[in-house]
Amino acid sequence: MTALTLSTAGAATLRADALVVGVAKGPKGPVVAAGAEAVDKAYDGKLAAVLDALGASGAEGETTKLPAPDGLKVPVVLAVGLGSVPEKDESFDEEALRRAAGAAARALHGAKKAAFALPLEDASAVTAVAEGALLGAYAFTVYQGGEKKAGKGAEKNGGPKQPLAEVVLLGAKPRDKGHKAAAERASVVATEVNVARDLINTPPNDLTPEAFAAVASATAKEHGIKVQVLDEKALTKGGYGGIMGVGKGSENPPRLVKIAYTHPDAEKHLAFVGKGITYDSGGISLKPAGHNETMKCDMSGAAAVFASVVAVAKLGLPVNVTGWLALAENMPSGSATKPGDVLRMYSGKTVEVLNTDAEGRLVLGDALTKASEENPDAIVDVATLTGAMVLALGDRTFGIMANDDAFRTSIHEIAEEVGEASWPMPLPEDLRKTMDSPTADIANMGVRMGGGLVAGLFLQEFVGEGITWAHLDIAGPAFHEGAPYGYTPKGGTGSAVRTLVRLAERTATGDLG
């Protein structure tokens, strides 16, 4: 993990490999942002003019490297775009700061130390810049470079560039309680988002349900989190027909993992439930060619839940949080569930399986019922559940469904606050009847149009009566296949971790609308 340091040193006096400054998009060209005054002075007050001459505009995420002039203790100045200049008396949006810091950190892969002289008006800005830089510095290089090229000196031996090693936030005061707390929180959250990314990016031959459960168990125990793992024998004996029905076609058997963080002063209890399909072939309803290659990411919901509970524990929040990881590998074989089979879920409800590629809702159904037995104040499930949600909202926005409008609104507001794009979606009652089955209590498929909403309605059937519940369909933003942008890398993104952590913080303080 990239190191984070707060410093009151001047931008002109700190020694580093690079110095990052912000530049905004003004009506007549780029405008140097606050925090870079000493750097602009070193350019004789002409930094904006130099950037303009080089074609820089200050647009969000734009990066421009310049040789440093005399007077600075760095060889390179990196100007990063913050977007439009704020209106009078307004500050830069936190997400703009977060994305700019992330873009700068990505551009500095391979560097040992970089000083960030971005606008830091308050502790919230410190959080945003720190978080963005730490997330932007992420790289997944475990499988690159070869054994002989790995480790120290890997880059010189032809291995991959390593992430920026140290981020120094100029203008953030190490003795200021607000700044220090903001930096510590950012470090915890970014670390756990990156842990989720690592899990998502790990190849499915190495991250089986058993392997995922082992990682979760070891990490949870390290942080004083109680762990319970149900293996295939316990799942069969316990009647978890959904999880076993999905996992029985694979040589790698399923697991249900419970990780429980408790605090002596907690007054509320949250349950997070994550879909953990470590590889999804579609089962007997095999996915077509071109749709299998990224299906290692179908456990992104479980990764988010795991990382969130660990983050809550590290932050010591006065709220009880239980995570449920429903882990299985969905494969076709002679023992796999077939279209037309009927499964008896943990709740006792029977499900006619019309499509084995609608498997996430089956493992989540069992986990939701189990989570409901503890009667938490609220349940939030997270899943890469439907392609229909991607069609509806695109690749960067997750959908939010809930059985309580106020709770759905609160989660939407929280997600927007932390910089995770989301949108509230309905649960139309008329779509429920399309899952009626002549054979079982319910089918796992309904009409194709509105398929993401149908999936949400299916999950709602397994939530305990009277329990507030929300469903986050992160199928779009969980895995990014395009070019990196801002603090978002190619591959696993860790989507929903920041939202879940903020929800826990709000719940702990009673500040949940």
Side-chain angles (χ1 to χ4, degrees):
M1 183 68 185
T2 301
L4 177 66
T5 305
L6 308 186
S7 176
T8 55
T13 60
L14 188 76
R15 294 185 182 277
D17 297 315
L19 179 59
V20 178
V21 298
V23 56
K25 190 175 183 180
K28 297 181 180 180
V31 177
V32 178
E37 292 83 0
V39 181
D40 187 33
K41 183 178 180 181
Y43 283 95
D44 296 325
K46 298 179 181 179
L47 177 55
V50 171
L51 290 170
D52 190 32
L54 292 174
S57 66
E60 183 180 298
E62 177 186 78
T63 58
T64 307
K65 286 184 178 180
L66 303 168
D70 293 337
L72 298 183
K73 304 284 186 185
V74 298
V76 173
V77 171
L78 176 68
V80 61
L82 290 162
S84 299
V85 174
E87 297 291 331
K88 188 177 181 180
D89 298 327
E90 291 188 8
S91 304
F92 283 100
D93 178 77
E94 287 177 25
E95 180 63 4
L97 292 173
R98 193 180 288 115
R99 290 184 179 179
R106 282 194 301 102
L108 293 171
H109 267 24
K112 292 182 179 179
K113 182 178 180 179
F116 283 63
L118 296 176
L120 296 180
E121 292 191 7
D122 53 26
S124 295
V126 171
T127 296
V129 173
E131 205 172 75
L134 296 176
L135 292 175
Y138 174 82
F140 187 70
T141 60
V142 177
Y143 294 83
Q144 298 175 357
E147 186 177 349
K148 292 182 180 179
K149 296 175 182 176
K152 190 174 181 180
E155 292 178 36
K156 294 181 180 179
N157 293 325
K161 279 188 175 183
Q162 297 302 304
L164 173 61
E166 182 182 358
V167 168
V168 180
L169 297 192
L170 299 181
K173 304 170 185 176
R175 295 185 180 181
D176 183 293
K177 290 183 179 180
H179 287 190
K180 184 178 179 181
E184 289 175 349
R185 180 193 180 279
S187 184
V188 167
V189 173
T191 295
E192 294 313 314
V193 170
N194 288 338
V195 165
R197 290 171 170 180
D198 281 348
L199 287 167
I200 297 164
N201 289 327
T202 299
N205 56 321
D206 282 350
L207 193 75
T208 62
E210 183 179 11
F212 195 156
V215 171
S217 296
T219 304
K221 290 175 182 177
E222 181 184 340
H223 296 287
I225 301 169
K226 293 182 179 179
V227 185
Q228 180 184 21
V229 179
L230 299 183
D231 62 13
E232 68 272 27
K233 292 180 181 179
L235 291 169
T236 299
K237 184 178 180 180
Y240 294 84
I243 296 175
M244 286 304 303
V246 173
K248 70 178 185 175
S250 172
E251 292 184 356
N252 297 305
R255 296 285 187 271
L256 178 61
V257 181
K258 174 186 177 183
I259 51 175
Y261 162 77
T262 58
H263 192 283
D265 298 327
E267 296 182 358
K268 296 289 185 179
H269 177 200
L270 295 174
F272 297 156
V273 178
K275 173 186 172 183
I277 304 300
T278 57
Y279 183 74
D280 182 19
S281 70
I284 297 296
S285 305
L286 193 67
K287 292 180 183 291
H291 290 74
N292 283 302
E293 291 78 3
T294 61
M295 282 299 101
K296 65 181 181 180
C297 80
D298 214 17
M299 37 58 68
S300 296
V305 166
F306 166 61
S308 300
V309 176
V310 174
V312 169
K314 283 183 172 182
L315 293 171
L317 300 181
V319 58
N320 294 336
V321 181
T322 304
W324 298 89
L325 317 180
L327 310 176
E329 190 175 77
N330 188 25
M331 297 290 286
S333 72
S335 62
T337 293
K338 305 172 292 295
D341 283 357
V342 173
L343 305 178
R344 185 171 294 278
M345 304 287 284
Y346 178 71
S347 68
K349 193 184 295 286
T350 56
V351 177
E352 182 181 11
V353 179
L354 299 181
N355 187 327
T356 64
D357 196 23
E359 85 298 330
R361 63 199 72 182
L362 298 175
V363 301
L364 286 174
D366 277 353
L368 285 167
T369 301
K370 186 64 176 176
S372 296
E373 289 181 349
E374 297 187 346
N375 198 34
D377 292 285
I379 298 175
V380 180
D381 77 70
V382 188
T384 47
L385 206 60
T386 64
M389 195 56 60
V390 184
L391 290 174
L393 298 178
D395 293 328
R396 299 188 182 185
T397 304
F398 63 74
I400 307 171
M401 284 155 265
N403 60 4
D404 180 279
D405 289 348
F407 190 53
R408 181 184 62 188
T409 298
S410 291
I411 291 180
H412 178 224
E413 291 174 349
I414 287 170
E416 296 295 313
E417 176 187 337
V418 300
E420 296 199 301
S422 66
W423 197 251
M425 303 292 283
L427 289 171
E429 292 183 11
D430 62 291
L431 293 179
R432 168 59 184 86
K433 67 181 68 173
T434 69
M435 290 184 285
D436 287 346
S437 165
T439 308
D441 295 323
I442 189 173
N444 78 328
M445 292 290 288
V447 291
R448 180 169 176 267
M449 299 302 175
L453 312 183
V454 170
L457 286 162
F458 180 92
L459 296 179
Q460 187 174 225
E461 296 277 323
F462 299 91
V463 177
E465 186 175 352
I467 298 177
T468 301
W469 158 79
H471 160 56
L472 312 186
D473 190 336
I474 62 171
F479 196 83
H480 180 58
E481 296 185 63
Y485 65 94
Y487 53 83
T488 301
K490 187 179 180 69
T493 65
S495 177
V497 173
R498 289 180 290 145
T499 295
L500 294 180
V501 173
R502 191 73 184 104
L503 173 62
E505 288 174 325
R506 287 257 194 113
T507 302
T509 59
D511 184 28
L512 190 62

